[in-house]
């Protein structure tokens, strides 16, 4: 699984690319894989304000809907027009063509509690380990049953 | 959480597991859309061993079945299957089930996993006379082989002449030397079979079917695809379209409800409802604006709340957002445009004929 260097990552599995005062936001490879086939994307309008840690949009798989949280606050400069008609772009290229919105950041302090690629990789690994531990416990139980 | 005998096989196949009705079940293997398309165009194999099985037998079996259900069980032929509803005193639906008539006065009832204990207690409560009841749920595993290639995949593995089994009939036989009840039934809207076997044989049957079918395009399929497939066909799902408070007349299941067959639990309420008219009705919706309607979203017409969504998804076959919903009877006419509130935004939807998909 890929976590490009140079991006910042949130605990809710969004990524941010910071260029000056502008932040490009999307969801991570881990997030898209957990969701499965994405069939609908809801995005804000250009000019709307997004608030750090509040939902700014949603991604929907055939099964369920998930909110996408703003890792930084600001004003929406641009939204990815490709997504409404081709939501699967997020599955195919989460860090590239699958970007969601571009915002003008109001407060650079917002970046402080985001993770580096290395930190996020550890965070995802931890989440997977938690799952694996459950699995191992399961398998141990299975053995006992036998 | 409960597990089917195939839990290990699912894990090894890389399935994503979820909790469903107290069971740890595979929701997807390769992906919901891919599995959905496989079932519509080739074939899919589902583990549905979480479903419950209840046996009713003995001289009073037919009489009991007639009393507890809405459909006319006396019209079933031997080795026929019948979609039926277990009814409560208020005309509500205890469960939607399939009856299999194995012999005269010997029935196997396939019930929803979430309801199997409730159903069994409820049948016991109504049983009188000479009948024997068994909750056989843990004895049986059930695999559903569904899709246009199902017969081609299954036939080389069995001496049962599959082309002689009509839809909603079944036969007993061996599939690769595993004794099975082979029924031409399903929940996907495609041709296919549901195979009931002893739990201990489940993994061998699963592997045999995959080994035979994968070269023809068979894929293991999970509950995610099972849900999108049934929804395109507008098959109800208990807990969504049906529950203890919805009646068959409201749910569009009048065809299952044989009011003239004689007394059964809830019949008086249904006769009265039929005479007075229903106040809400299950309809199909197609969204006219972007968005996906989900279970429990509210419906509006001219600012007034007129109903709620019970199930919704983006149909992989049709490429449109579809939903089932209960709508006030005065708004429940074809082509009527109403609004669904999706996360605070009103989205237009049109009432369309059911099913959404026909093969």
């Amino acid at each position: 699984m890929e976590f490009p260097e140079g991006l910042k990552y949130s605990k809710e599995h969004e990524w941010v690319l910071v260029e000056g005062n502008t932040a490009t936001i999307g969801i991570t490879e881990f997030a898209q894989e957990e969701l499965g086939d994405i069939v609908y994307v809801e995005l804000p309008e250009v000019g709307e304000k997004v608030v750090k840690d509040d939902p700014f949009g949603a991604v929907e798989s055939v099964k369920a809907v998930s909110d996408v949280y703003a890792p930084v606050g600001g004003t929406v400069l641009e939204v990815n027009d490709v997504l409404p008609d081709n939501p699967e772009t997020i599955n195919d290229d989460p860090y590239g063509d699958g970007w969601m919105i571009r915002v003008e950041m109001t407060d650079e302090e917002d970046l402080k509690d985001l993770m580096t690629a290395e930190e996020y990789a550890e965070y995802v690994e931890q989440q997977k380990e938690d799952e694996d531990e459950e699995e191992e416990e399961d398998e141990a139980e299975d053995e006992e049953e036998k | 959480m409960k597990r089917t005998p195939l839990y290990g096989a699912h894990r090894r196949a890389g399935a994503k597991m979820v909790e469903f009705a107290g069971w740890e079940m595979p929701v997807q293997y390769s992906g919901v859309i891919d599995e959905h398309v496989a079932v519509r165009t080739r074939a899919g194999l589902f583990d549905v061993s979480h479903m419950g099985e209840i046996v009713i037998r003995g001289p009073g079996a037919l009489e009991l079945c007639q009393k507890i259900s809405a459909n006319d069980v006396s019209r079933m032929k031997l080795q026929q299957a019948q979609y039926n509803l277990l009814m409560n005193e208020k005309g509500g639906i205890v469960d939607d089930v399939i009856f299999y008539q194995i012999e005269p006065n010997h029935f196997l009832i396939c019930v929803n996993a979430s309801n199997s204990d409730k159903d069994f207690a409820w049948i016991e409560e109504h049983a009188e006379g000479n009948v024997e009841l068994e909750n056989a749920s843990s004895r049986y595993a059930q695999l559903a082989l569904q899709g246009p290639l199902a017969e081609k995949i299954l036939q080389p593995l069995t001496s049962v002449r599959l082309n002689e089994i009509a839809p909603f009939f079944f036969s007993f036989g061996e599939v690769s030397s595993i004794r099975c009840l082979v029924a031409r039934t399903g929940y996907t809207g495609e041709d296919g079979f549901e195979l009931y076997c002893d739990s201990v044989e489940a993994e061998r049957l699963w592997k045999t079917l995959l080994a035979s079918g994968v070269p023809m395009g068979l894929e293991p399929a999970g509950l995610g695809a099972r849900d999108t497939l049934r929804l395109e066909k507008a098959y109800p799902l208990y807990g969504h379209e049906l529950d203890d408070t919805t009646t068959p007349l409201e749910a569009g299941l009048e065809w299952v409800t044989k009011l003239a067959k004689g007394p059964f639990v809830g019949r008086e309420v249904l006769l009265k409802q039929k005479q007075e008219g229903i106040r809400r009705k299950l309809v199909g919706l197609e969204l006219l604006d972007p968005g996906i309607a989900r279970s429990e979203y509210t419906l509006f017409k001219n600012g007034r709340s007129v109903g709620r969504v019970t199930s919704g998804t983006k149909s992989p076959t049709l490429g449109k957002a579809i939903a089932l919903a209960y709508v006030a009877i005065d708004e429940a006419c074809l082509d009527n445009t109403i609004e669904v509130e999706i996360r605070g935004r009103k989205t237009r939807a049109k009432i369309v004929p059911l099913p959404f998909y026909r093969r």
Side-chain angles (χ1 to χ4, degrees):
Chain A
M1 201 170 284
E2 235 190 299
F3 308 116
E5 293 290 330
L7 301 183
K8 296 274 190 188
Y9 298 86
S10 75
K11 286 187 172 162
E12 301 286 349
H13 305 285
E14 289 88 15
W15 57 262
V16 186
L17 171 66
V18 182
E19 291 163 301
N21 204 22
T22 305
T24 304
I25 298 166
I27 65 168
T28 67
E29 185 173 0
F30 177 76
Q32 68 79 21
E33 203 171 282
E34 286 291 303
L35 284 162
D37 298 319
I38 294 168
V39 293
Y40 182 72
V41 179
E42 194 173 275
L43 298 171
E45 306 269 339
V46 170
E48 260 180 57
K49 295 254 187 290
V50 299
V51 177
K52 180 173 167 63
D53 297 331
D54 278 2
F56 71 80
V59 286
E60 303 202 24
S61 68
V62 279
K63 299 192 295 279
V65 48
S66 305
D67 285 325
V68 185
Y69 296 88
V72 296
T75 307
V76 179
L77 296 172
E78 202 183 339
V79 300
N80 187 348
D81 291 331
V82 169
L83 298 181
D85 290 331
N86 304 283
E88 69 282 358
T89 309
I90 294 180
N91 292 121
D92 298 341
D93 190 8
Y95 302 115
D97 294 343
W99 67 277
M100 295 179 74
I101 58 170
R102 235 166 233 139
V103 302
E104 185 180 8
M105 281 188 290
T106 38
D107 190 354
E108 281 191 22
E109 289 288 300
D110 285 355
L111 296 168
K112 274 196 171 165
D113 62 348
L114 298 177
M115 290 175 269
T116 63
E118 203 180 330
E119 286 163 346
Y120 180 67
E122 257 173 53
Y123 177 72
V124 166
E125 214 44 55
Q126 191 57 51
Q127 298 217 324
K128 280 193 191 162
E129 262 172 40
D130 292 347
E131 277 176 32
D132 286 348
E133 265 167 39
E134 277 168 35
E135 263 173 57
E136 275 159 28
E137 280 164 27
D138 292 348
E139 274 154 26
E141 273 172 39
D142 289 349
E143 286 304 315
E144 275 169 36
E145 278 165 28
K146 278 170 201 165
Chain B
M1 241 188 299
K2 289 189 261 189
R3 288 171 183 172
T4 79
L6 294 170
Y7 174 81
H10 299 318
R11 264 278 150 85
R12 284 191 292 278
K16 198 173 281 180
M17 308 297 286
V18 293
E19 193 268 334
F20 178 79
W23 292 75
E24 200 170 357
M25 299 295 294
V27 64
Q28 65 168 61
Y29 303 81
S30 59
V32 175
I33 295 176
D34 181 64
E35 294 160 29
H36 182 108
V37 171
V39 172
R40 288 271 180 261
T41 57
R42 304 184 307 274
L45 184 63
F46 300 84
D47 174 19
V48 284
S49 301
H50 61 308
M51 305 287 287
E53 290 84 10
I54 292 172
V55 178
I56 302 183
R57 65 200 296 182
L62 174 62
E63 202 180 323
L64 176 60
C65 290
Q66 286 287 66
K67 185 168 87 174
I68 59 176
S69 73
N71 210 334
D72 189 351
V73 181
S74 74
R75 288 173 53 173
M76 289 176 76
K77 300 189 178 84
L78 270 192
Q79 303 204 332
Q80 188 173 11
Q82 183 187 62
Y83 181 61
N84 203 340
L85 304 167
L86 303 182
M87 299 294 301
N88 66 31
E89 281 80 5
K90 290 177 178 162
I93 298 167
V94 176
D95 201 1
D96 69 326
V97 303
I98 304 277
F99 277 62
Y100 294 91
Q101 180 166 227
I102 291 168
E103 283 166 36
N105 280 319
H106 181 182
F107 298 89
L108 177 78
I109 310 177
C110 175
V111 305
N112 280 298
S114 52
N115 289 337
S116 59
D117 292 338
K118 176 184 84 165
D119 293 353
F120 189 73
W122 186 86
I123 294 171
E124 250 184 339
E125 197 181 299
H126 287 79
E128 50 186 11
N130 198 349
V131 289
E132 198 184 305
L133 305 178
E134 185 200 355
N135 188 343
S137 302
S138 57
R139 270 206 292 130
Y140 284 100
Q142 191 192 149
L143 306 187
L145 175 65
Q146 300 279 302
L149 298 184
E151 187 178 317
K152 254 188 208 146
I153 291 165
L154 185 57
Q155 189 61 84
L157 302 172
T158 181
S159 55
V160 175
R161 286 194 194 155
L162 298 176
N163 62 0
E164 290 175 6
I165 305 178
F168 270 82
F169 279 84
F170 65 93
S171 187
F172 286 99
E174 289 191 346
V175 176
S176 181
S177 79
I178 299 161
R179 185 162 166 77
C180 292
L181 184 161
V182 181
R184 198 162 208 138
T185 50
Y187 192 51
T188 60
E190 297 301 327
D191 186 22
F193 299 89
E194 291 179 310
L195 307 173
Y196 295 77
C197 71
D198 193 314
S199 294
V200 300
E201 300 281 21
E203 188 157 1
R204 199 153 65 85
L205 184 62
W206 174 263
K207 283 181 180 162
T208 305
L209 288 166
L210 283 178
S212 164
V214 166
M216 285 188 250
L218 175 68
E219 288 186 24
L223 292 187
R226 187 168 158 86
D227 192 50
T228 52
L229 288 158
R230 70 93 194 167
L231 189 47
E232 285 185 345
K233 187 67 181 167
Y235 287 146
L237 173 61
Y238 197 89
H240 287 251
E241 285 70 42
L242 313 177
D243 61 33
D244 294 295
T245 66
T246 51
T247 76
L249 305 182
E250 295 167 339
L253 296 173
E254 204 166 346
W255 63 278
V256 193
T257 310
K258 300 299 191 302
L259 292 168
K261 79 170 184 179
F264 63 87
V265 179
R267 178 171 174 259
E268 297 308 314
V269 180
L270 296 180
L271 281 169
K272 185 158 171 274
Q273 191 178 51
K274 196 173 156 82
Q275 200 181 3
E276 290 175 356
I278 49 174
R279 270 181 267 173
R280 60 174 180 167
K281 192 182 163 190
L282 190 72
V283 300
L285 296 177
E286 192 180 300
L287 268 61
L288 302 176
D289 298 321
I292 300 174
R294 303 283 182 183
S295 178
E296 295 304 320
Y297 287 6
T298 308
L299 302 173
F300 291 89
K301 178 83 178 190
N302 302 326
R304 184 174 69 102
S305 161
V306 294
R308 68 182 170 91
V309 174
T310 53
S311 298
T313 190
K314 180 165 179 189
S315 157
T317 308
L318 307 170
K320 296 171 181 166
I322 58 171
L324 292 171
Y326 277 105
V327 174
I329 195 69
D330 48 331
E331 295 295 343
C333 43
L334 281 184
D335 293 327
N336 188 16
T337 300
I338 54 181
E339 289 175 323
V340 190
E341 187 172 276
I342 302 179
R343 290 186 295 281
R345 189 169 46 85
K346 298 270 170 49
T347 305
R348 290 176 309 139
K350 188 176 79 170
I351 299 179
V352 296
L354 294 174
F356 301 102
Y357 165 85
R358 221 183 275 272
R359 87 171 119 105

